[in-house]
Amino acid sequence: MRRLAVYCGSATPADPAYIDNAREVGATFAARGIGLVYGGGRLGLMGAVADAVLAAGGEAIGVIPQALVDAEVAHRGLTELHVVGTMHQRKALFTDLADGFVTLPGGTGTMDELWEALSWAQLGYHGKPVGLLNVNGYYDGLVAFVATMAETGFLRPQHRDILIVEDRLDPLLARMEAHLPSTPIIHMRRDEL
């Protein structure tokens, strides 16, 4: 995995563990030679992960819509900053530039990015690993919801393991490295749908 897209919040929570974790992710990426592709912001977890990558001599590529550049939230010290017109273009470029996706804690924007990466993998638009770093149990409810989708039949057995969940970064990256794509919907037989 040469580059990974990181989805995370632009907020700074009161609990410093979230910012500390984002910095750890950035430092680990740089130490392992993994380039960062992210939302291009300078605030919150976004800024922390990018700053940590850059401080350790790594590559940090931002992808940000023009509206957010105009709002002055863009990080101006990145290796590359791609300015796009829409959020749809942003997510498509994430997919083009990255070899996989890691989701850190965040809000609705982070969820939008995660769900699109998952649905695109399920459909077969990409075969890249989709990881979720469950920092301090932040995503316990989401992990339970995914299990509920599978138990009720809204998530096919072939796609149950698309989301790779770990509480620590090292095992998450190891599982992502070993990832084998599931059978996408576009290649399933009618009786499997």
Side-chain angles (χ1 to χ4, degrees):
M1 297 182 296
R2 293 182 319 106
R3 290 182 181 148
L4 291 174
V6 170
Y7 302 143
C8 62
S10 60
T12 302
D15 184 343
Y18 294 106
I19 291 288
D20 291 344
N21 179 261
R23 289 181 181 130
E24 177 187 332
V25 168
T28 300
F29 275 26
R32 293 186 179 198
I34 299 170
L36 168 69
V37 178
Y38 85 114
R42 62 177 175 78
L43 304 174
L45 272 66
M46 278 190 178
V49 72
D51 287 343
V53 165
L54 294 166
E59 174 188 56
I61 299 171
V63 183
I64 191 167
Q66 182 65 52
L68 293 177
V69 173
D70 295 344
E72 299 183 3
V73 299
H75 194 304
R76 298 295 187 170
L78 301 174
T79 309
E80 296 176 25
L81 182 64
H82 298 270
V83 179
V84 296
T86 68
M87 294 297 282
H88 294 292
Q89 292 169 333
R90 179 194 223 181
K91 292 182 289 183
L93 193 51
F94 283 157
T95 303
D96 291 344
L97 293 173
D99 300 315
F101 313 91
V102 174
T103 302
L104 305 182
T108 54
T110 303
M111 291 299 89
D112 174 52
E113 294 162 340
L114 170 63
W115 287 113
E116 185 160 294
L118 287 170
S119 66
W120 285 16
Q122 183 177 331
L123 291 167
Y125 295 149
H126 72 76
K128 300 173 182 183
V130 181
L132 181 75
L133 189 58
N134 191 17
V135 179
N136 293 340
Y138 181 79
Y139 285 120
D140 286 351
L142 185 138
V143 171
F145 175 64
V146 170
T148 298
M149 287 192 303
E151 290 163 9
T152 56
F154 285 109
L155 182 61
R156 292 171 180 85
Q158 300 92 320
H159 303 134
R160 175 61 179 91
D161 295 325
I162 287 176
L163 183 61
I164 303 167
V165 181
E166 289 289 346
D167 296 338
R168 293 179 300 111
L169 184 59
D170 286 338
L172 179 65
L173 293 176
R175 287 184 60 201
M176 290 177 67
E177 189 74 44
H179 166 75
L180 295 173
S182 63
T183 303
I185 288 174
I186 61 174
H187 293 129
M188 294 174 74
R189 297 186 319 267
R190 179 180 290 174
D191 64 330
E192 294 175 312
L193 295 175

